[in-house]
Amino acid sequence: MTDITSRTEAALAAIAAASSLDALEAERLETLGKKGWVSLELKTLGGMSPEERTAAAPAIQSARARIAEALEAKKAALEAAALEEQLARETVDLTLPAVAAPKGSVHPVSQVMDELAEIFADLGFAVATGPEIEDDWHNFTALNMDETHPARAMHDTFYFPDKTTDGKDILLRTHTSPVQVRAMIQQGAPIRVIAPGRVYRSDSDATHTPMFHQVEGMVIDKGIHLGHLKWTLETFFKAFFEREDIVLRLRPSYFPFTEPSVEVDVGYSNEGGRRVVGGHGDAPGHAWMELGGSGMMNPRVLAAGGLDPAEWQGFAFGLGIDRIAMLKYGMNDLRAFFDGDPRWLQHYGFSPFDQPTLSAGVGARA
Ligand code: PHE
């Protein structure tokens, strides 16, 4: 009896002193485990006479109950402490200045797209989108390039083997111009939208990659003319390059979806091997560089978009985003844009916290 009492006290003390779940489990095995002394004591009851059992049982059962209760309480306490400790260890201090952990950066193309959207939003343009996997009708036919049009061949199109359910070819869009058609059909006129995004052509060298980026612009209203187009592009480029001396040259050209069509060139000079926009392209030490195509929307395209060309006029333009990014931020190889080399990104990438805004400046500060 006293033996059981003293052993129980010793077990309770050991349980109270256990500093880990492992130590506690060892103590449990020693007492209540199959071969633990409490279990063995309980087994002896079976061989006793009823009188002996009545005398011995209460002490053993009380020892078992006290030890079991102590084990359970200690286990809960140790688990709570472990959780507390883990929570304290894994705390994230949200008050730390974010610059303390500069991880990741914004790709120049994304940065320039944000800058574009910001500037054009100020001019009243919304952003429109369309699928990169297009059908032949939106990419070509609705843009006044029917099946036999020679301009189709010039686009080096990636075709899919499948066709749409109504028999149209499926392709990777070769330009952002199909978004003109989608936006007209969805929103009608008047409308002012830009559509930045990826486009694809089977072409690859130092200045061409099979995937690149364009931004389409489209304005449809009454009485729209080429002067609106030129003012819009000039205003955009002045804001984008953050300089007033931007000179544009509109050079007569041809696109099936615009009439008249003009190519947009910007004057630049070479400074220390780097192209710097600004100035008249015919001035000494200057030249012209092509930035994209544009023109008055062809009446057939307006009609394909469900608009009456007798009532509405529009202009549209398409600019190479990668090209204007290279020009603004002084990068010289287009292919590096898509290599995913973290060192290049570290050099040219932008802080995620540096959002382009008109008030703070759309140009990124390094
Ligand atoms: N879609 C033409 C291209 O990819 C550019 C363009 C857009 C020209 C809109 C005129 C009007 O080359």
Side-chain angles (χ1 to χ4, degrees), residues 155 174-175 177 180 201 214 216 255 257-258 293-295 316-318:
H155 276 221
T174 57
H175 52 178
S177 299
Q180 287 184 28
R201 288 183 203 176
Q214 287 187 334
E216 195 80 8
F255 298 103
F257 31 94
T258 47
S294 65
F317 58 84

Side-chain angles (χ1 to χ4, degrees), residues 29-114:
L29 288 175
E30 227 170 90
T31 52
L32 306 186
K34 249 201 187 136
K35 296 199 171 113
W37 64 264
V38 180
S39 308
L40 295 180
E41 287 287 349
L42 279 167
K43 267 196 196 141
T44 63
L45 292 176
M48 291 181 188
S49 69
E51 296 74 30
E52 283 171 332
R53 196 181 302 139
T54 311
I60 301 173
Q61 268 153 2
S62 130
R64 183 182 62 172
R66 290 177 69 200
I67 290 172
E69 195 185 320
L71 282 169
E72 196 165 315
K74 185 67 180 184
K75 186 169 180 237
L78 283 174
E79 282 174 348
L83 182 62
E84 280 303 317
E85 194 264 333
Q86 183 189 5
L87 287 175
R89 187 159 27 88
E90 294 179 356
T91 295
V92 177
D93 185 354
L94 296 175
T95 64
L96 274 180
V99 286
K103 295 251 169 65
S105 55
V106 175
H107 194 281
V109 170
S110 305
Q111 171 79 14
V112 165
M113 286 199 192
D114 288 348

Side-chain angles (χ1 to χ4, degrees), residues 36 46 88 120 134 162 175 180 193 244 251-252 288 293 324 331 347:
F120 277 110
E134 254 305 358
D162 328 68
H175 52 178
Q180 287 184 28
V193 287
E244 276 301 305
R251 186 165 34 84
W288 297 107
I324 64 175
M331 302 140 176
H347 186 74

